Amino acid sequence: MIFLDAAATTPVRREVLEAMWPYLTGEFGNPSSHHSLGETAANALSGARAAVAKVLGCRPGEVTFTSGGTEADNLAVKGIALARRSADSALNRIVISAIEHPAVEESAHYLQRVHGFDVDVVPVDRYGVVTPEALRSTLRPETALVSIMYANNEIGTVQPVRQLAEVAAEHGVPFHTDAVQAAGWLPIGVKELGVDALSISGHKLGAPKGSGVLYAKGRLKIEPVVHGGGQERGRRSGTENVAGAVALATAFTLAHDEQSGLAEQPGLAGRVSELRDAFIGTVLETVPGAVLTGHPSRRLPSIASFCFPGTSGESVLLELERLGVVCSSGSACAAGSDAPSPVLLELGIDAEVAQTAVRFSFNSTVTSAELEQAAQAVAAAVGSVQGLGRR
Ligand code: PLP
């Protein structure tokens, strides 16, 4: 099987499993316990926090461990907006882009529904890019928070986060970015990006599902979403997932070193980008009518996404799986649903074509042989689905 669905999830890396193993077995303590087992767990947790902070270029106290990307996004959007409005009741609007992951979009809608916020949506261009001008014209004096993703999970388009964060900063508005898909592939220094808050998920990086991080700058106030024993400096209660935190820290550090060429495999992002471009080129050449979705060059190294007019995305997926290639018809959450992807509709792609979307996403171990074989399978799968449709 050729696994081209790494944007949905990745297998746990061996190094990661080895690093987390002690905290699942002999060193199983609760970090809040006042005995030696607890102390060992607390030390592991602070080591993991320091390691994540090193990659992000921030202070350990600015790192909050969560149960994943979804929780990090919820905490950022709800927590920052609610805390800002508590401090100044006029701040009752939030800005998000038109192509956010549901973790951000639904958090914003929750604030609208339950807490009376207004949500302003910044449009994207036909490649899925939010321009600084579009953001500027959406900001209002009442804006409490801007949340715009670093890279999109369906089409791979990378946003000009630094410029967008600058626009928000000019207006004194905190800027959050969902970096769940970008982490491990793109530069992630929070100072260079100029962001106030940033979300990461472990299972996209080779750590297990159920581990995540929210970076929140300095004294940025966050109203907790999960209440209880006051762990994570009161930002996120609940006994900490020590093994998950160690796993995320290990996976994030490995991915960062590989991406920036510090590890044995130099410049992983560059290598995978070349493979992606070759794959895109072959698919566009060999599959009649294939259309690339997202930005042609400002895209994640790991995502190639297409529409194959005259097919249905789901039928192409089934055919590809029969041929040994596993991928997705969009985001994992949209897979299996008949509705066309809202992200593709926002790009101006019509509903019928949007229903033919297929996303191929690679993890760090992808090879050119695999992608050559996959491209052949795509041509065969699309050809056979189109043939069936004509019969
Ligand atoms: N944000 C983006 C851009 C994602 O792609 C995902 C997962 O698909 C999430 C957030 C949610 O992360 P998690 O699966 O860790 O909850």
mmCIF file of all heavy atoms in Angstrom, residues 7 68-70 73 101 103 149 151 153 178 180-181 201 203-204, ligand 1:
data_model
loop_
_atom_site.group_PDB
_atom_site.id
_atom_site.type_symbol
_atom_site.label_atom_id
_atom_site.label_comp_id
_atom_site.label_asym_id
_atom_site.label_seq_id
_atom_site.Cartn_x
_atom_site.Cartn_y
_atom_site.Cartn_z
ATOM 1 N N ALA A 7 -1.730 14.046 5.675
ATOM 2 C CA ALA A 7 -2.353 15.239 6.261
ATOM 3 C C ALA A 7 -3.489 14.822 7.201
ATOM 4 O O ALA A 7 -3.914 15.606 8.054
ATOM 5 C CB ALA A 7 -2.871 16.177 5.173
ATOM 6 N N GLY A 68 -4.706 18.039 21.512
ATOM 7 C CA GLY A 68 -4.561 17.978 20.054
ATOM 8 C C GLY A 68 -4.742 19.343 19.425
ATOM 9 O O GLY A 68 -4.885 20.365 20.128
ATOM 10 N N GLY A 69 -4.760 19.344 18.092
ATOM 11 C CA GLY A 69 -4.912 20.598 17.362
ATOM 12 C C GLY A 69 -6.281 21.228 17.585
ATOM 13 O O GLY A 69 -6.406 22.445 17.733
ATOM 14 N N THR A 70 -7.310 20.396 17.620
ATOM 15 C CA THR A 70 -8.660 20.924 17.808
ATOM 16 C C THR A 70 -8.767 21.666 19.137
ATOM 17 O O THR A 70 -9.281 22.788 19.198
ATOM 18 C CB THR A 70 -9.689 19.773 17.764
ATOM 19 O OG1 THR A 70 -9.619 19.170 16.464
ATOM 20 C CG2 THR A 70 -11.103 20.267 18.012
ATOM 21 N N ASP A 73 -6.854 24.959 19.038
ATOM 22 C CA ASP A 73 -7.611 25.984 18.295
ATOM 23 C C ASP A 73 -8.778 26.518 19.131
ATOM 24 O O ASP A 73 -9.035 27.719 19.161
ATOM 25 C CB ASP A 73 -8.153 25.399 16.981
ATOM 26 C CG ASP A 73 -7.074 25.263 15.910
ATOM 27 O OD1 ASP A 73 -6.001 25.886 16.058
ATOM 28 O OD2 ASP A 73 -7.308 24.538 14.927
ATOM 29 N N HIS A 101 -9.987 25.580 9.216
ATOM 30 C CA HIS A 101 -10.390 24.241 9.658
ATOM 31 C C HIS A 101 -11.607 24.392 10.581
ATOM 32 O O HIS A 101 -11.730 25.402 11.289
ATOM 33 C CB HIS A 101 -9.218 23.600 10.423
ATOM 34 C CG HIS A 101 -9.439 22.170 10.774
ATOM 35 N ND1 HIS A 101 -10.098 21.787 11.927
ATOM 36 C CD2 HIS A 101 -9.108 21.026 10.133
ATOM 37 C CE1 HIS A 101 -10.159 20.471 11.986
ATOM 38 N NE2 HIS A 101 -9.562 19.977 10.900
ATOM 39 N N ALA A 103 -12.133 23.384 13.400
ATOM 40 C CA ALA A 103 -11.758 23.628 14.808
ATOM 41 C C ALA A 103 -11.749 25.129 15.108
ATOM 42 O O ALA A 103 -12.107 25.548 16.210
ATOM 43 C CB ALA A 103 -10.394 23.012 15.116
ATOM 44 N N MET A 149 -5.175 30.497 9.371
ATOM 45 C CA MET A 149 -4.295 29.332 9.377
ATOM 46 C C MET A 149 -2.994 29.594 8.611
ATOM 47 O O MET A 149 -2.956 30.393 7.676
ATOM 48 C CB MET A 149 -5.014 28.114 8.813
ATOM 49 C CG MET A 149 -5.302 28.182 7.334
ATOM 50 S SD MET A 149 -6.707 27.129 6.805
ATOM 51 C CE MET A 149 -6.502 25.629 7.715
ATOM 52 N N ALA A 151 -1.204 27.079 6.939
ATOM 53 C CA ALA A 151 -1.308 26.355 5.667
ATOM 54 C C ALA A 151 -2.587 25.535 5.681
ATOM 55 O O ALA A 151 -2.946 24.962 6.718
ATOM 56 C CB ALA A 151 -0.108 25.447 5.476
ATOM 57 N N ASN A 153 -5.269 22.587 5.050
ATOM 58 C CA ASN A 153 -5.196 21.131 5.080
ATOM 59 C C ASN A 153 -5.760 20.458 3.841
ATOM 60 O O ASN A 153 -5.481 19.302 3.587
ATOM 61 C CB ASN A 153 -5.930 20.611 6.323
ATOM 62 C CG ASN A 153 -7.287 21.249 6.511
ATOM 63 O OD1 ASN A 153 -7.401 22.467 6.620
ATOM 64 N ND2 ASN A 153 -8.324 20.445 6.516
ATOM 65 N N ASP A 178 -3.378 28.663 13.034
ATOM 66 C CA ASP A 178 -3.450 27.215 13.135
ATOM 67 C C ASP A 178 -2.318 26.670 12.261
ATOM 68 O O ASP A 178 -2.380 26.736 11.029
ATOM 69 C CB ASP A 178 -4.831 26.771 12.622
ATOM 70 C CG ASP A 178 -4.969 25.264 12.509
ATOM 71 O OD1 ASP A 178 -3.943 24.569 12.456
ATOM 72 O OD2 ASP A 178 -6.108 24.788 12.443
ATOM 73 N N VAL A 180 -1.217 23.538 12.334
ATOM 74 C CA VAL A 180 -1.259 22.075 12.444
ATOM 75 C C VAL A 180 -0.634 21.410 11.211
ATOM 76 O O VAL A 180 0.135 20.461 11.327
ATOM 77 C CB VAL A 180 -2.719 21.602 12.673
ATOM 78 C CG1 VAL A 180 -2.873 20.111 12.443
ATOM 79 C CG2 VAL A 180 -3.164 21.967 14.085
ATOM 80 N N GLN A 181 -0.947 21.898 10.021
ATOM 81 C CA GLN A 181 -0.382 21.276 8.815
ATOM 82 C C GLN A 181 1.013 21.820 8.497
ATOM 83 O O GLN A 181 1.817 21.140 7.870
ATOM 84 C CB GLN A 181 -1.313 21.481 7.614
ATOM 85 C CG GLN A 181 -2.640 20.747 7.714
ATOM 86 C CD GLN A 181 -2.498 19.228 7.664
ATOM 87 O OE1 GLN A 181 -1.484 18.674 7.233
ATOM 88 N NE2 GLN A 181 -3.524 18.535 8.118
ATOM 89 N N SER A 201 -0.457 20.067 16.263
ATOM 90 C CA SER A 201 -1.000 18.756 16.618
ATOM 91 C C SER A 201 0.089 17.689 16.477
ATOM 92 O O SER A 201 0.794 17.659 15.463
ATOM 93 C CB SER A 201 -2.161 18.430 15.677
ATOM 94 O OG SER A 201 -2.551 17.091 15.830
ATOM 95 N N HIS A 203 -0.157 14.340 16.072
ATOM 96 C CA HIS A 203 -0.304 13.157 15.206
ATOM 97 C C HIS A 203 -0.074 13.449 13.730
ATOM 98 O O HIS A 203 -0.043 12.524 12.911
ATOM 99 C CB HIS A 203 -1.649 12.458 15.448
ATOM 100 C CG HIS A 203 -2.849 13.140 14.875
ATOM 101 N ND1 HIS A 203 -3.473 12.686 13.739
ATOM 102 C CD2 HIS A 203 -3.552 14.217 15.279
ATOM 103 C CE1 HIS A 203 -4.523 13.457 13.486
ATOM 104 N NE2 HIS A 203 -4.588 14.392 14.410
ATOM 105 N N LYS A 204 0.141 14.719 13.391
ATOM 106 C CA LYS A 204 0.499 15.027 11.996
ATOM 107 C C LYS A 204 2.023 14.958 11.819
ATOM 108 O O LYS A 204 2.532 15.150 10.723
ATOM 109 C CB LYS A 204 0.018 16.426 11.604
ATOM 110 C CG LYS A 204 -1.401 16.758 11.993
ATOM 111 C CD LYS A 204 -2.446 16.076 11.128
ATOM 112 C CE LYS A 204 -3.851 16.521 11.532
ATOM 113 N NZ LYS A 204 -4.889 15.900 10.760
HETATM 114 N N1 PLP B 1 -6.283 22.235 12.074
HETATM 115 C C1 PLP B 1 -5.923 21.717 10.898
HETATM 116 C C2 PLP B 1 -5.450 22.628 9.812
HETATM 117 C C3 PLP B 1 -5.966 20.338 10.686
HETATM 118 O O1 PLP B 1 -5.610 19.831 9.511
HETATM 119 C C4 PLP B 1 -6.412 19.506 11.761
HETATM 120 C C5 PLP B 1 -6.541 18.046 11.568
HETATM 121 O O2 PLP B 1 -6.872 17.569 10.517
HETATM 122 C C6 PLP B 1 -6.756 20.107 12.985
HETATM 123 C C7 PLP B 1 -6.680 21.466 13.104
HETATM 124 C C8 PLP B 1 -7.221 19.281 14.142
HETATM 125 O O3 PLP B 1 -6.147 18.633 14.788
HETATM 126 P P1 PLP B 1 -6.404 17.322 15.696
HETATM 127 O O4 PLP B 1 -6.702 16.209 14.753
HETATM 128 O O5 PLP B 1 -5.110 17.137 16.450
HETATM 129 O O6 PLP B 1 -7.515 17.640 16.606
#
